Amino acid sequence: MKQLELIELRRQKLKDQIATHLDLLIGSIHKTPSQSGYHLTTKEEGKSVTKYVRKDLVPQALEMTANHLQVRKLLRQLSALNWRWLQLQDKSKPL
């Protein structure tokens, strides 16, 4: 298999992985002694905002914040592959 074909297969695999992790929350879940319950801290319009998370939703919220981190990692990998794919596209075109 050509290198270009291998990169295209890897790109598609990364896109599929990204699609499976799109149930996400940006921010972090935490519990401090001074606060009752769990909270999600995130940014909205450039400001930090803390939102209460019901106890029964904590496992799902933790999974969704982990999905956000995974999507960021996968996007970096996809970006690097896209760059390599573009370079190979340029070489595969006849002059």
Side-chain angles (χ1 to χ4, degrees), residues 42-49 51:
T42 188
K43 291 269 188 177
E44 288 184 3
E45 299 179 12
K47 295 184 179 187
S48 292
V49 177
K51 299 178 181 184

Side-chain angles (χ1 to χ4, degrees), residues 60-77:
Q60 187 177 1
L62 287 169
E63 182 180 336
M64 293 173 82
T65 56
N67 281 348
H68 171 249
L69 298 176
Q70 183 67 20
V71 167
R72 287 181 57 179
K73 177 182 157 191
L74 293 170
L75 285 173
R76 283 191 297 273
Q77 293 174 7

Side-chain angles (χ1 to χ4, degrees), residues 29 36-40 51-62:
I29 303 292
S36 63
Y38 290 84
H39 295 84
L40 168 72
K51 299 178 181 184
Y52 177 75
V53 180
R54 290 193 330 255
K55 187 176 181 177
D56 60 321
L57 295 177
V58 170
Q60 187 177 1
L62 287 169

Side-chain angles (χ1 to χ4, degrees), residues 19 23 32-33 40 57 60 64-65 79 84 87 90:
D23 288 334
T32 63
L40 168 72
L57 295 177
Q60 187 177 1
M64 293 173 82
T65 56
S79 178
R84 185 67 185 133
Q87 291 172 325
D90 192 43

